[in-house]
């Protein structure tokens, strides 16, 4: 088990308070969520950190633990983006040279932010198609150039820095906390918070939350050992890793009361709901709120904290979030229809199959003069979930052969 102690966490918090930077974030009551779930819900707003993500804390504690000799050698990190932003920020803040290894699939806008924070103190290297490949390149670079690695998650100092969030929740919450919901990627955030709460507030239930497209910690929990997941979605890029470190696995397995997986579509719906409340979050930052439906009966009349881990989101992704949400909520369906090529068929389809509040958001087909019918891809958005049943009944009455293709990942990736 980990050798992390409460004095280590309180010392890290003291360093934060003594610095010229402001690390403390709001613990904000959500009236809408409290009313929706009939309990007392507060949001821990780590999206309000200076770089809009909790990883400021772990990075700062890692930098503050360096010796002068280590600083002189130069630093290296590997990241999918968020920790790299914090690393770059502190390289510039402390005037230390650093190199960031990113997978080549990292969003370009994140790369630009990393360079903006790091300025001339950071060099960015994009290597490989995954975090694992970028990490292997970083380790090889360290051997060749005698640099110091600051790892985003396989790093006790980062876990300790993240644990300081727990201090602030207990200090700021008006009463005893019954539940804390924490997003889980590689597990450094959950490991830190769970360690502090289990020592200082043992009756509080700590619930980890992972997206179903990148549930590497859940797979390891199920196997009772660290395992690698072969396929992974990058939708929740702030929490997407194929393999979790042994240290975070051990701490989370020992201290988490539950680890729950939520659908990515539910995450998209949560992002839009929070945005309507004036809170812009990244997919990983929405995980802790996304799980509340699954815990609705357990949290009734309870004191609840949801950790909003970050808000580094590109607003251009909101079309993607809307599409995800509509599909998840059953308000949008893709149909592959064998449509007869006769005059007026599309007009008949709209008038006979759709209700007054339904609409076609996408249609694609190519009419062939030498064929009687052919495939037509149609996306239909309905005002109410139950309306789609009537649309299908109407297509059957028109003797149209159709197939629902919502679950076709290849088609979804092509269209969304």
């Amino acid at each position: 088990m980990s050798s992390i102690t409460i004095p280590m966490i309180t010392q890290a918090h003291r360093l934060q308070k003594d610095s010229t930077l402001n690390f403390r974030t709001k613990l904000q009551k959500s009236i809408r969520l409290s009313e929706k779930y009939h309990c007392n819900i507060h949001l821990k707003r780590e999206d309000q950190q200076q770089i809009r993500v909790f990883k400021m804390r772990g990075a700062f504690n890692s930098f503050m633990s360096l010796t002068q000799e280590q600083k002189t050698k130069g630093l290296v990190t590997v990241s999918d983006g968020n920790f790299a932003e914090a690393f770059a920020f502190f390289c510039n803040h402390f005037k230390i040279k650093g190199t960031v290894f990113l997978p080549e699939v990292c969003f370009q806008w994140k790369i630009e932010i990393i360079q903006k924070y790091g300025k001339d103190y950071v060099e960015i290297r994009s290597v490989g198609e995954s975090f694992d490949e970028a990490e292997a390149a970083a380790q090889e670079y360290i051997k060749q150039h005698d640099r110091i690695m600051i790892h985003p998650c396989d790093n006790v100092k980062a876990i300790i820095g993240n644990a300081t969030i727990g201090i602030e929740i207990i200090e700021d919450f008006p009463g005893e906390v019954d539940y804390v919901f924490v997003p889980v990627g590689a597990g450094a955030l959950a490991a830190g918070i769970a360690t502090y709460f289990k020592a200082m507030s043992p009756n509080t239930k700590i619930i980890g939350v992972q997206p179903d497209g990148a549930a590497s910690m859940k797979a390891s929990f199920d196997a009772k050992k660290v395992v690698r997941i072969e396929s992974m979605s990058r939708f929740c890029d702030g929490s997407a890793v194929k393999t979790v470190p042994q240290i975070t696995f051990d701490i989370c397995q020992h201290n988490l009361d539950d680890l729950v997986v939520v659908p990515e579509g539910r995450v998209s719906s949560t992002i839009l709901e929070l945005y309507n409340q004036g809170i812009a979050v990244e997919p990983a930052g929405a995980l802790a709120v996304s799980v509340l439906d699954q815990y609705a009966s357990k949290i009734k009349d309870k004191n609840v904290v949801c950790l909003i881990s970050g808000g580094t989101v590109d607003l251009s992704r909101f079309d993607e979030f809307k599409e995800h949400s509509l599909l998840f909520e059953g308000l949008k369906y893709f149909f592959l229809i064998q449509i007869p090529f006769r005059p007026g068929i599309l007009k008949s389809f709209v008038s006979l199959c759709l209700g007054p509040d339904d609409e076609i958001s996408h249609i694609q087909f190519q009419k062939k003069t030498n064929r009687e019918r052919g495939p037509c891809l149609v996306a239909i958005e309905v005002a109410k979930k139950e309306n789609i049943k009537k649309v299908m009944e109407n297509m059957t009455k028109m003797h149209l052969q159709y197939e629902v293709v919502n679950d076709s990942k290849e088609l979804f990736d092509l269209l969304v």
Side-chain angles (χ1 to χ4, degrees), residues 222-284:
D222 292 345
K224 295 181 171 53
K225 63 179 182 179
V226 173
V227 297
R228 174 187 171 85
I229 57 174
E230 292 307 315
S231 61
M232 180 191 74
S233 165
R234 287 183 51 82
F235 173 75
C236 290
D237 55 296
S239 61
V241 295
K242 289 188 174 182
T243 311
V244 300
Q246 187 69 47
I247 184 173
T248 59
F249 170 76
D250 289 340
I251 296 173
C252 288
Q253 187 182 47
H254 188 261
N255 290 326
L256 288 182
D257 293 284
D258 195 6
L259 179 60
V260 186
V261 173
V262 296
E264 291 179 352
R266 173 68 254 179
V267 175
S268 287
S269 294
T270 301
I271 291 170
L272 298 176
E273 290 167 11
L274 289 173
Y275 189 73
N276 289 334
Q277 298 175 43
I279 304 173
V281 300
E282 61 191 73

Side-chain angles (χ1 to χ4, degrees), residues 126-141:
S126 297
V127 182
E129 296 182 0
S130 67
F131 179 92
D132 293 344
E133 291 179 11
E135 183 177 21
Q139 295 291 1
E140 183 62 30
Y141 179 83

Side-chain angles (χ1 to χ4, degrees), residues 326 330-333 354 357-359 380-389 391:
L326 288 170
L331 298 176
K332 184 167 186 172
Y333 280 79
L354 303 189
D357 298 321
D358 306 331
E359 63 178 46
I380 298 175
E381 293 184 19
V382 292
K384 297 178 181 179
K385 187 175 182 179
E386 56 270 22
N387 288 8
I388 199 66
K389 183 179 179 181
V391 172

Side-chain angles (χ1 to χ4, degrees), residues 346 349-350 354 358-363 377-381:
L346 291 181
F349 176 81
V350 172
L354 303 189
D358 306 331
E359 63 178 46
I360 293 175
S361 61
H362 179 94
I363 186 166
L377 180 64
V378 181
I380 298 175
E381 293 184 19

Side-chain angles (χ1 to χ4, degrees), residues 30-46:
S30 173
I31 295 174
R32 286 194 191 183
L33 290 175
S34 297
E35 291 176 347
K36 180 178 180 180
Y37 294 102
H38 307 287
C39 58
N40 181 23
I41 297 180
H42 285 63
L43 306 178
K44 180 59 173 169
R45 298 289 305 278
E46 286 297 293

